[in-house]
Amino acid sequence: AVAHPSPSLTPDEVVTACMDALKHNNFPEVDSGLATCFAFSNDMCRAAVGASLEEFLKYARNPVFQTMVCCDEWKAGPVNAVGGASETRGAMVT
């Protein structure tokens, strides 16, 4: 089953849901992990990769994205603010 966003999820829970889904990308179905990431993406991200799950799946075949798909393990590092927040955007983080 594909996980879906919820206002009740914390940022850490969102990262965990997406990364665990990618780690087990083909369970319970092929590319269900990528479908989870697409479900959590915002409209701007979706527009940048073709706006449909099918286009996102094509995009996600790039070598950089594939380092996360079916990975052996993952670990979230600290979030570091690299720029101040503006009135229209939050702080940029890495």
Side-chain angles (χ1 to χ4, degrees):
V2 174
H4 292 283
S6 167
S8 66
L9 294 174
T10 67
D12 286 340
E13 290 171 328
V14 171
V15 170
T16 298
C18 289
M19 291 304 300
D20 282 348
L22 286 174
K23 181 179 177 182
H24 305 286
N25 184 53
N26 295 319
F27 180 81
E29 299 172 0
V30 173
D31 289 331
S32 59
L34 289 167
T36 295
C37 286
F38 184 77
F40 277 88
S41 66
N42 65 24
D43 291 340
M44 187 181 299
C45 177
R46 289 180 183 188
V49 297
S52 70
L53 176 58
E54 292 74 25
E55 290 300 316
F56 177 72
L57 293 176
K58 290 178 193 174
Y59 165 81
R61 299 292 178 230
N62 75 68
V64 174
F65 204 97
Q66 283 296 300
T67 62
M68 298 181 287
V69 177
C70 297
C71 64
D72 291 330
E73 62 182 316
W74 66 270
K75 178 181 170 186
V79 175
N80 301 305
V82 295
S86 70
E87 289 184 24
T88 57
R89 298 180 187 203
M92 181 179 277
V93 296
T94 60

